[in-house]
Amino acid sequence: MALTAQRTRTTRPRRQGRRHPLVATLMALPLAVLLLVVFDGWETVATQASSVGVMLGR
């Protein structure tokens, strides 16, 4: 058998820590909009937002 050089991974190391909240929001927003459109949830979102506003006293 011939000796061959061992391959090394040249990928970037993974960053430790958490993702920035804005990045996470931008990642989740398209799916949330799709689900709202597919399941016709605009009225539900408005109702929930209104309920939260009443609960907070606004």
Side-chain angles (χ1 to χ4, degrees):
M1 247 194 257
L3 295 177
T4 58
Q6 187 177 13
R7 289 187 181 187
T8 59
R9 296 187 84 181
T10 57
T11 59
R12 295 183 312 183
R14 287 195 71 143
R15 287 178 31 192
Q16 297 293 326
R18 295 177 12 168
R19 184 176 284 123
H20 192 278
L22 183 60
V23 173
T25 302
L26 290 176
M27 289 173 64
L29 199 57
L31 179 60
V33 169
L34 177 68
L35 290 173
L36 283 172
V37 170
V38 168
F39 293 108
D40 198 27
W42 294 109
E43 195 171 308
T44 304
V45 171
T47 302
Q48 290 295 325
S50 175
S51 298
V52 170
V54 168
M55 192 169 58
L56 293 175
R58 296 180 184 230

